[in-house]
Amino acid sequence: MSNMQLETLRRIVQEINASTSLHESLDIMVNHVAEAMHVDVCSIYLLDERNHRYLLMASKGLNPEAVGHVSLQLGEGLVGLVGQREEIVNLDNAPKHERFLYLPETGEEIYNSFLGVPVMYRRKVMGVLVVQNKESQDFSEAAESFLVTLCAQLSGVIAHAHAVGNIDVFRKPNNLPAYKTFQGVSGSGGIALGRAVILYPPADLGAVPDREADDISEELQLLDTALDSVREEIKHLDDKMQHALMAEERALFSVFLRMLDENALPAEIKEQIREGNWAQGAVRIVIDNHVARFAQMEDDYLRERVADLKDLGRRILARLQVEDANHRELTDESILIGEEISTAALVELPVDKIAAIVTSEGAMNSHMVIVARALGIPTVVGVTELPINTLDDVEMIVDAHQGRVFINPPRRLRTRYKEIQKEEEQIAKDLRQYETKDAITPDGVAVRLFVNTGLMIDVVRGVQRGAKGVGLYRSEIPFMLRDRFPGEEEQRAIYRQQLSHFANKPVVMRTLDIGADKDLPYFSIEEDNSALGWRGIRFTLDHPEIFSSQIRAMLKASIGLNNLHILLPMVTSVSEVEEALYLLERDWVAVQEEEQVKITKPKIGIMVEVPSVLYQIDEFSELVDFFSVGSNDLTQYLLAVDRNNPRVASVYSHLHPAILRALSRLVQDCHRHNKPISICGEMAGDPISAILLMAMGFNTLSMSSSNILRVRKAICHVPMSDAQELLAHVLKLDNPLVVKSWLERYFRTHGLGDMVKSATRIVSA
Ligand code: PEP
Ligand code: MG
């Protein structure tokens, strides 16, 4: 693509992003494309699924009267052909083509050349973009790639518009459909019925929801106070910068102050409030409008002011949010929604009041989800099309088993889900009989079930559900809940709690595993490719002072209990373990000397989560006492699929043949060296994969407390001989979905259907 095309592309994308409606985006697109490609016509047809037609939504060149009226059936005309084939159609003499359809309303017959590109989103055709010329010519490959790139951008905009109901502009303007379903990824199973509470990051203009003002004069008052504070803040900044910036560089501050003049932005914001909007929403609307207008301007200087305008908007918003004492109280029916909810933000809330969590970003094994799972909160993530801002206080059903979210569900659906909820409560009650049972197969093979912990609630639930130890203590979780690195004594007290609740049982404490999606609020690591970056042991070896304070705290906490095991995360190479062992030895000697007490040397293990470890078991066995598989990361790295990216969630499967084969070999390698091996990724807590792991030879499975009873029940009912047969069969399969259905079939036909039931067989309302 030429530089000029790239520049045009950049401009179009920028303007589309700043536009406020789908119609506007489409108009921007057709006008710019026609101009940039010097074509007579550029049109966009969108698929109207309800009527099974492609509707002409925008056009530069065709009769304007036709826009919004002309439509084609699915397979009709050249547009239909593009949609059907899902590929580019490039013709120099379109009227000669057998599929050419003459549409008199458009005056189309005089255009000879035709280039149609499908607009695809998640493998689905959303529409077709067409350029046409009177002159008969083949469009170049560069023209094709230019349009393909644009269509890829456009598809996101259309998908979003679909989600917020704007696609119905030609039928039902700006109305969120009464009832709508969204699909995401299941993070933590369960069902909830309730109302949405938006958790939006502070001072994020784009995230401010639409909400009606309860009391208009109160909102006006709040705005005035906020504006006064912002004016003060800007004057203060101006004073402060007097010596650092030249007068013209400080001119921005006077621009800000002029914008804040009563007759400027404030007047517009107040008008919005008087129309019934709450102050924060009014600020968002006014700033958005101006941003869209500025972005269209030819003048570079003015276009660049967009950033300043947004900055000013954020300042007003930040003040309003401080003033807004009106933070909604959570009730038992609160369904938390947001773009992304961090672990820290979650645990700050009264978690027993959260009925469910739904986020537009994130994926099934992100840290927040792991914590939500421990807390037993139904969670759906990666609902990319969720129109968050329009959902404040809206009634919802969350079916986290299927990753589905229903907005404004009809009564019939609510009644059905309430019944299912009751059935689930009954299943949970029945499972309680497994709290006191041992995990022994009908043919007498015992499996040790451990619990993964991080929060105190995991410990309490783990003990209550009969965990035989802690297989993974995620030490980064308490770090996430603070506003600074906790000191050694503070850590000692936390670790002691964990160790003492499981006195006489092994407790595997993992050293700090931060980086990638595990961000500390006070130590952000910004990297382009963070999953492959500075995380786990790579970070702690670069910060031996943090590593040592943790090790020292763990050692001190273990005095008299002697049940401490230490686990190193994200190990890639032997040298990392050698370095860590050196530090561990040094700290062990030092703490004993300082405390004047003998401390049992903890067993040291490494996590198998980077594929390189799979091939070095011989070497690592020389150095460490045990191995623990982190299947969440191992799956991510073996399949090269981001565990947090909902777009590729369907590629992420721990039942992938490569994972199953790697794990089978790994167990054999470890057994050859007489090294204990356990598994603590989410795979261990899924009954169908737990059975396979048991058959491979894993005799210790560590999981979230919410999965212990289900896995124990599965083990109590599936003989090892059956598990081995299942394993032998699935190891020959090549498709994770087939593996899954094969295992589920066994469960269903052996009276264990409730363990694999995606709770719901709902008649779509
Ligand atoms: C894993 O990667 O499987 C694991 C247990 O660690 P975490 O999920 O904390 O990365
Ligand atoms: Mg991991």
Side-chain angles (χ1 to χ4, degrees):
M1 217 177 288
S2 72
N3 278 348
M4 213 185 75
Q5 280 187 331
L6 274 178
E7 178 50 28
T8 316
L9 204 73
R10 196 185 60 80
R11 273 286 290 284
I12 300 179
V13 171
Q14 239 176 22
E15 288 187 27
I16 286 180
N17 286 343
S19 72
T20 50
S21 72
L22 177 67
H23 272 317
E24 201 182 319
S25 301
L26 299 180
D27 282 338
I28 292 171
M29 185 93 140
V30 291
N31 282 306
H32 277 303
V33 171
E35 192 187 338
M37 293 181 69
H38 306 292
V39 289
D40 301 319
V41 174
C42 174
S43 315
I44 295 174
Y45 296 80
L46 290 192
L47 178 61
D48 176 357
E49 273 184 303
R50 229 175 295 178
N51 294 318
H52 308 287
R53 298 184 77 84
Y54 288 103
L55 180 72
L56 177 65
M57 291 288 286
S59 179
K60 166 82 181 159
L62 292 186
N63 178 5
E65 303 276 299
V67 173
H69 297 288
V70 163
S71 67
L72 292 146
Q73 274 181 15
L74 281 193
E76 207 174 37
L78 293 172
V79 167
L81 182 68
V82 176
Q84 212 170 28
R85 286 203 191 151
E86 302 183 356
E87 60 186 29
I88 297 171
V89 173
N90 187 349
L91 302 170
D92 61 349
N93 196 343
K96 282 254 166 70
H97 195 279
E98 53 176 12
R99 293 286 288 270
F100 178 79
L101 188 76
Y102 171 59
L103 294 170
E105 306 91 309
T106 62
E108 199 169 8
E109 87 278 27
I110 47 171
Y111 301 109
N112 284 308
S113 40
F114 172 101
L115 173 59
V117 179
V119 183
M120 308 282 301
Y121 187 76
R122 301 219 169 151
R123 303 187 187 178
K124 254 180 76 182
V125 179
M126 310 216 77
V128 176
L129 188 147
V130 173
V131 292
Q132 292 169 286
N133 251 340
K134 284 185 189 135
E135 202 183 304
S136 177
Q137 58 163 119
D138 249 345
F139 286 98
S140 67
E141 220 175 275
E144 287 185 4
S145 69
F146 175 68
L147 288 190
V148 167
T149 315
L150 268 180
C151 286
Q153 291 286 342
L154 182 65
S155 65
V157 177
I158 300 170
H160 182 72
H162 262 299
V164 297
N166 276 352
I167 202 83
D168 284 348
V169 162
F170 46 89
R171 287 189 292 262
K172 210 163 51 147
N174 283 333
N175 261 346
L176 183 71
Y179 162 50
K180 202 151 169 58
T181 312
F182 295 92
Q183 185 67 49
V185 179
S186 168
S188 161
I191 283 169
L193 292 92
R195 285 188 177 276
V197 173
I198 303 175
L199 196 71
Y200 48 97
D204 178 357
L205 261 186
V208 172
D210 287 330
R211 191 186 289 175
E212 264 180 47
D214 291 334
D215 178 340
I216 289 180
S217 55
E218 197 180 309
E219 293 296 312
L220 288 169
Q221 179 61 46
L222 279 173
L223 179 73
D224 275 332
T225 319
L227 289 171
D228 281 345
S229 310
V230 178
R231 289 186 190 109
E232 276 307 305
E233 183 180 302
I234 290 168
K235 280 185 196 142
H236 177 72
L237 272 178
D238 191 25
D239 287 347
K240 205 172 107 186
M241 291 294 149
Q242 225 163 25
H243 302 294
L245 295 178
M246 301 202 314
E248 55 272 31
E249 287 163 344
R250 282 190 287 117
L252 175 64
F253 299 128
S254 35
V255 174
F256 272 3
L257 288 174
R258 275 206 303 282
M259 287 183 186
L260 290 172
D261 189 275
E262 262 314 308
N263 299 321
L265 288 181
E268 291 176 46
I269 301 172
K270 285 180 181 172
E271 198 180 309
Q272 289 288 339
I273 296 178
R274 288 196 190 97
E275 281 177 18
N277 260 303
W278 70 319
Q280 297 188 26
V283 173
R284 191 202 72 216
I285 291 169
V286 170
I287 297 289
D288 274 358
N289 286 344
H290 282 281
V291 166
R293 215 162 40 79
F294 271 44
Q296 301 266 7
M297 290 182 181
E298 287 301 323
D299 183 324
D300 281 349
Y301 175 80
L302 286 176
R303 264 208 322 275
E304 278 157 22
R305 297 284 70 75
V306 165
D308 299 331
L309 199 63
K310 285 186 180 163
D311 180 43
L312 186 60
R314 272 193 292 269
R315 284 172 193 274
I316 306 173
L317 183 65
R319 292 293 170 169
L320 276 174
Q321 289 179 344
V322 173
E323 305 296 329
D324 180 25
N326 182 19
H327 265 139
R328 290 257 304 283
E329 291 265 310
L330 296 187
T331 69
D332 288 346
E333 287 205 324
S334 295
I335 294 174
L336 219 56
I337 65 171
E339 259 175 46
E340 207 165 8
I341 296 176
S342 67
T343 311
L346 172 63
V347 292
E348 255 167 24
L349 296 167
V351 284
D352 52 327
K353 288 257 165 78
I354 302 170
I357 300 172
V358 179
T359 64
S360 57
E361 311 260 315
M364 64 185 285
N365 283 324
S366 70
H367 228 238
M368 180 280 284
V369 172
I370 287 170
V371 173
R373 207 172 294 156
L375 296 168
I377 304 175
T379 302
V380 179
V381 293
V383 193
T384 34
E385 277 120 50
L386 194 72
I388 297 173
N389 295 352
T390 59
L391 295 182
D392 192 35
D393 208 27
V394 164
E395 200 171 343
M396 294 172 76
I397 294 175
V398 178
D399 176 348
H401 297 293
Q402 306 196 101
R404 290 183 112 186
V405 177
F406 304 88
I407 306 296
N408 282 324
R411 197 162 48 88
R412 194 155 60 92
L413 200 67
R414 284 203 309 268
T415 317
R416 178 73 190 107
Y417 266 105
K418 276 199 179 129
E419 284 167 15
I420 294 169
Q421 214 174 18
K422 280 222 181 82
E423 280 170 28
E424 296 216 324
E425 276 162 18
Q426 190 53 46
I427 292 174
K429 232 183 184 174
D430 294 345
L431 273 177
R432 294 192 63 179
Q433 59 176 296
Y434 289 91
E435 280 178 357
T436 49
K437 293 208 165 122
D438 282 328
I440 301 179
T441 62
D443 47 357
V445 180
V447 181
R448 292 197 306 174
L449 300 190
F450 281 18
V451 65
N452 292 348
T453 63
L455 301 167
M456 232 2 242
I457 187 158
D458 301 319
V459 174
V460 175
R461 291 196 177 156
V463 171
Q464 185 196 349
R465 292 171 191 175
K468 299 280 186 259
V470 174
L472 170 68
Y473 168 61
R474 289 186 166 96
S475 70
E476 61 278 3
I477 291 186
F479 278 64
M480 283 174 182
L481 308 185
R482 284 168 175 68
D483 51 13
R484 62 193 156 75
F485 282 103
E488 191 178 306
E489 176 48 30
E490 207 176 338
Q491 289 184 54
R492 191 203 59 79
I494 303 170
Y495 303 154
R496 181 81 186 174
Q497 273 191 330
Q498 294 276 332
L499 292 168
S500 56
H501 273 80
F502 281 91
N504 301 322
K505 297 195 177 90
V507 174
V508 180
M509 299 198 138
R510 180 172 74 183
T511 59
L512 197 62
D513 186 20
I514 58 166
D517 70 318
K518 300 171 197 169
D519 229 358
L520 297 178
Y522 46 91
F523 192 88
S524 173
I525 302 172
E526 299 273 339
E527 287 176 322
D528 280 350
N529 211 343
S530 62
L532 303 184
W534 203 35
R535 51 172 308 197
I537 196 165
R538 301 172 186 181
F539 169 83
T540 42
L541 287 180
D542 285 349
H543 277 283
E545 75 291 4
I546 294 176
F547 186 70
S548 272
S549 87
Q550 222 190 355
I551 298 301
R552 289 168 55 85
M554 286 179 182
L555 289 168
K556 286 184 184 174
S558 77
I559 293 174
L561 293 168
N562 307 329
N563 55 349
L564 170 67
H565 294 53
I566 293 179
L567 180 62
L568 305 170
M570 271 298 288
V571 167
T572 310
S573 305
V574 167
S575 61
E576 292 163 337
V577 178
E578 285 168 343
E579 266 184 73
L581 289 178
Y582 166 76
L583 296 173
L584 280 159
E585 179 77 18
R586 188 192 67 183
D587 293 333
W588 179 62
V589 173
V591 172
Q592 292 187 95
E593 252 172 41
E594 284 166 33
E595 299 291 314
Q596 289 295 309
V597 54
K598 193 154 170 31
I599 300 177
T600 308
K601 198 171 192 172
K603 295 230 181 305
I604 312 290
I606 61 167
M607 291 203 69
V608 185
E609 36 190 8
V610 179
S612 63
V613 175
L614 297 172
Y615 303 96
Q616 298 179 88
I617 294 299
D618 294 352
E619 289 83 353
F620 283 118
S621 293
E622 300 281 314
L623 295 172
V624 299
D625 304 305
F626 67 96
F627 294 92
S628 178
V629 179
S631 53
N632 306 337
D633 277 315
L634 188 62
T635 306
Q636 155 162 275
Y637 296 125
L638 261 186
L639 303 185
V641 53
D642 181 350
R643 66 193 254 186
N644 292 312
N645 184 345
R647 284 205 192 107
V648 286
S650 60
V651 188
Y652 183 97
S653 169
H654 53 236
L655 294 176
H656 191 286
I659 308 289
L660 300 181
R661 290 173 203 174
L663 292 180
S664 293
R665 275 176 221 160
L666 173 68
V667 180
Q668 288 162 20
D669 287 349
C670 291
H671 285 175
R672 209 161 17 86
H673 288 282
N674 271 330
K675 290 286 167 186
I677 173 147
S678 58
I679 174 161
C680 58
E682 296 302 311
M683 185 177 184
D686 174 358
I688 60 170
S689 43
I691 291 303
L692 289 186
L693 294 167
M694 167 181 101
M696 287 177 197
F698 282 96
N699 66 355
T700 307
L701 308 176
S702 190
M703 65 205 70
S704 161
S705 60
S706 45
N707 290 329
I708 291 182
L709 299 182
R710 280 156 28 94
V711 171
R712 190 175 291 135
K713 178 174 172 186
I715 291 171
C716 289
H717 285 83
V718 180
M720 181 59 116
S721 52
D722 281 14
Q724 281 169 340
E725 265 175 40
L726 283 168
L727 176 66
H729 181 81
V730 299
L731 277 176
K732 287 187 263 169
L733 300 175
D734 60 7
N735 183 331
L737 292 176
V738 182
V739 173
K740 184 164 184 266
S741 53
W742 184 260
L743 296 169
E744 287 185 350
R745 190 170 145 268
Y746 175 90
F747 273 62
R748 285 211 184 85
T749 51
H750 289 76
L752 297 167
D754 57 327
M755 321 202 73
V756 293
K757 181 159 82 162
S758 337
T760 33
R761 303 258 169 276
I762 293 283
V763 193
S764 188

